[in-house]
Amino acid sequence: YFSADGSQFIFQSEVAGDNPFYQIYVRDLVTGDTNRVSPGIGLTTCSWIHPTLERVMFSSTHEDPDALKKQAEEISVRESGVDRPYGWDYDHHYEIYQADADGSNVVNLTNSTGYDAEGSYSNDGSKILFASNREAYSRSLSQAEQRLFDDDSSYFMDLFIMDADGSNVEQLTHSPGYDGGPFFSPDNSKVVWRRFNPDGNSAEIWTMDIDGTNQRQLTSDAMVAWGPYYHPSGRYI
């Protein structure tokens, strides 16, 4: 994603070394310099540059006690040449972190068991939208729910909003199936996101007000609609 002023972009990349998983990097489009801003341990994803350019946000598992062990295991599997289908890891150690623009002063914003990721800043930098399946870890699941969780833990993914310092967390959606990829409208009054059907075979684009009300389905294609984002005018998605 590009910074608000268009001078930088933040991205995830696998780089050769003792960690085979994605880490987060920021590239300066003026100088061409690229710097890692994530800790370098574990898995990372879903990064964003704060509108002030003073800090960054990303999701990471670097505090997982088994992070280094998982890195070594992944390297061993890749070196073995075993073919595997692509699949995303909804590791329950994923937390959303804030760091200074150079990657220093890393702070955990979520501190909740479950996959906390897919964060984005509001355009004024005061709020963060994100996706999480934390509810599945915080209550007892029925037998039917446990089977769904064991098959695909993303079934329990819902959308949340919090202040940029991690306080005042509120749940916005309570829908079966994967709600993810939320972004703010330019005036910070609405949210656009993708919602998977409960069977996980298709996803549609939805919008809602910032408090979770007025949820509206925009597409009905019975396919996978992905990555919605507001035009700067707010008139198009």
Side-chain angles (χ1 to χ4, degrees), residues 175-192:
S175 175
Y178 186 172
D179 284 338
F183 295 101
F184 289 89
S185 62
D187 64 0
N188 303 316
S189 68
K190 292 186 177 297
V191 181
V192 64

Side-chain angles (χ1 to χ4, degrees), residues 51-217:
T52 63
L53 311 185
E54 295 176 353
R55 56 185 183 269
V56 296
M57 170 177 60
F58 53 83
S59 293
S60 174
T61 68
H62 68 271
E63 292 189 293
D64 176 3
D66 293 325
L68 295 178
K69 177 183 177 182
K70 291 176 180 178
Q71 290 175 199
E73 290 173 346
E74 178 66 16
I75 290 174
S76 178
V77 170
R78 294 188 185 189
E79 290 178 344
S80 73
V82 174
D83 288 331
R84 294 176 298 173
Y86 174 81
W88 189 250
D89 187 353
Y90 299 101
D91 193 307
H92 69 275
H93 289 98
Y94 266 115
E95 303 281 6
I96 295 177
Y97 294 86
Q98 168 188 290
D100 290 349
D102 62 359
S104 62
N105 298 319
V106 178
V107 177
N108 188 334
L109 298 180
T110 46
N111 291 291
S112 177
T113 301
Y115 177 84
D116 294 321
E118 303 178 27
S120 63
Y121 283 115
S122 59
N123 291 288
D124 62 2
S126 66
K127 299 284 186 180
I128 293 172
L129 287 167
F130 67 100
S132 177
N133 61 0
R134 58 179 60 188
E135 183 185 1
Y137 294 89
S138 64
R139 65 176 176 84
S140 296
L141 301 179
S142 68
Q143 290 185 348
E145 288 176 325
Q146 188 64 54
R147 287 193 294 270
L148 288 168
F149 179 84
D150 292 341
D151 182 61
D152 183 1
S153 65
S154 72
Y155 176 89
F156 292 90
M157 208 78 71
D158 282 303
L159 300 186
F160 295 76
I161 190 170
M162 64 182 175
D163 291 347
D165 63 0
S167 62
N168 298 318
V169 179
E170 297 180 13
Q171 186 169 347
L172 300 180
T173 63
H174 302 78
S175 175
Y178 186 172
D179 284 338
F183 295 101
F184 289 89
S185 62
D187 64 0
N188 303 316
S189 68
K190 292 186 177 297
V191 181
V192 64
W193 84 99
R194 66 176 183 271
R195 168 172 284 172
F196 274 88
N197 290 342
D199 61 14
N201 291 326
S202 62
E204 306 293 354
I205 304 304
W206 289 66
T207 60
M208 63 181 166
D209 291 348
I210 204 67
D211 61 359
T213 60
N214 296 322
Q215 295 188 15
R216 180 186 176 198
Q217 183 175 342

Side-chain angles (χ1 to χ4, degrees), residues 1-3 8-11 46-49 119-120 181 183 227 229:
Y1 297 107
F2 289 98
S3 59
Q8 307 169 37
F9 71 90
I10 193 166
F11 63 99
C46 302
S47 54
W48 201 263
I49 299 174
S120 63
F183 295 101
Y229 197 81

Side-chain angles (χ1 to χ4, degrees), residues 36-52:
R36 178 169 55 81
V37 294
S38 56
I41 299 172
L43 303 91
T44 58
T45 189
C46 302
S47 54
W48 201 263
I49 299 174
H50 192 271
T52 63

